Amino acid sequence: MAGLCARTVAADSIVMPEQIYPQLDGILKKAIAQSPRMISRAIDLEMAEDGRIAARASMLPSIGGYYSFYEARDKRADLVGRLNVTKESYSFTLNQPLFHWGDRRNYAKMGEIRQAIAQGQYRDGYRLLAQEVRAQYLRLILNKLIAKKAAFYADYTAKLKVQGEERLAKKVISEAQIFGIRMDAERAQISLERTNFDVENQKASFARLTGSAVLSDDEIPDDIPAVADQNEAVQRILAGYLTQKDPVTIEAETFRKSLEIEQLNLKIQKTRLRPKANLVLGLSQDEQSYTINVAQKYQVNSYFGGVSINWTFFDGFSAGAGVRSALAKVRQMQLDYRSLTENLAQQAQTQARLAAFSARYVSIYDRLLVSGEGNLRSKNEEFTRGVIAEEDVSVAKLGYFDSQITAYTSRADYFNQLTTFLGTVSEDPVVGNLANK
């Protein structure tokens, strides 16, 4: 319990992308009802509920019967002429399972467990969707910066081309020299168009993923702010996670529930050759002959009730094979679960280390970004004093763009590593959006 409390407190202190961007938080909440992926998952929940009802039906009484009414004209050998005959018959019965050695109850419980598995998979499906939405949202921000750099570089090369053409007209440079300048300008223009095309495709893909409208450029933030190293909180979460005997992850919980289903199936297989008792109640109306003359029939109304017992003594050794198969399945799943818990622990430790490595990279690239910003400021000051040319300032700005892109990429990677880790240890706060689902 102490480990669990420590994990919860540490998880609450983690800064997530949706805390930085309120718009992203709104998109994640709306995606529950709008995302095509979550709509499909909701259908799975409905199917699981129907499956639970169908499994529970084996415990409830079944009612059925028939009714018939007809008129006929019979010709009998012992009578002259034809005889008008009217016949009405019906039968209605109620059959209630009385004692089946717990089979029906186990079937119903299996349906409930399958529904619980579907609910867990729904929650995990939303977590995976949220993780993808976060990554794509950060990518949109990064792409916006890349497009901004491409536009600046295209403008820069276009200016160089104009200057080069002027110098060529004055015979200052040769045709060979202007050729390279023209090629650079053309490549920069193509790169700008391709970047803008990729940005639009990325925005359309994001809209399809979330089920929302396509974001405009103004709605996409301009930067990914720096985040303090959260390794201490990550380590506390990891320590609390490793103290658990049974992981609380959706994957492990699904496996445990599947194992429980197989154990119930084993119990059912063991009772296949045992007698089963049902309570039977009903009423019927038909005709019956009570004399030697079978053509002379009388109406009979019957109200009946009692217990029926069905007992299969021998089924060709099928029941024994079913028991052995179910037992082998249970043992196999127990071994697989042990391996799963070990793998999940190793996976959590690996992802925590990757998040720590990513945080260290963020620290390095943030310092390089500060250095690039200082270099650009220095170049602007020198240009203002007339010490350097405008081209030198443009080169410094291109370098600053590269520093920004590298820093934002490392920050986005850190957030992705962090959310992946929190998802593995079932501490992703985004699942709280499904509290009422």
Side-chain angles (χ1 to χ4, degrees), residues 89-198:
S89 63
Y90 58 81
S91 176
F92 298 98
T93 59
L94 180 147
N95 195 316
Q96 170 65 52
L98 194 61
F99 184 73
H100 284 243
W101 307 93
D103 286 3
R104 303 301 177 94
R105 183 175 61 253
N106 290 335
Y107 276 125
K109 192 172 182 180
M110 288 166 68
E112 294 175 356
I113 295 173
R114 290 191 180 98
Q115 183 191 33
I117 290 175
Q119 291 173 342
Q121 291 174 339
Y122 178 82
R123 296 174 70 84
D124 196 50
Y126 176 65
R127 179 190 65 79
L128 293 173
L129 173 68
Q131 187 171 322
E132 188 174 347
V133 169
R134 290 166 176 151
Q136 288 201 24
Y137 190 80
L138 296 175
R139 185 66 192 176
L140 287 176
I141 300 173
L142 186 59
N143 284 345
K144 184 177 180 179
L145 178 60
I146 293 173
K148 187 176 179 181
K149 179 203 170 182
F152 180 83
Y153 183 66
D155 183 65
Y156 168 69
T157 55
K159 290 180 180 179
L160 291 181
K161 181 183 176 183
V162 171
Q163 295 173 2
E165 295 291 352
E166 292 175 353
R167 296 174 68 188
L168 177 66
K170 297 176 182 179
K171 306 299 182 179
V172 177
I173 61 174
S174 65
E175 286 286 348
Q177 290 174 309
I178 194 62
F179 178 77
I181 297 174
R182 289 169 177 169
M183 291 300 100
D184 288 342
E186 188 174 350
R187 280 196 296 265
Q189 183 61 35
I190 295 173
S191 178
L192 173 60
E193 294 175 8
R194 176 62 187 270
T195 300
N196 290 334
F197 176 75
D198 291 341

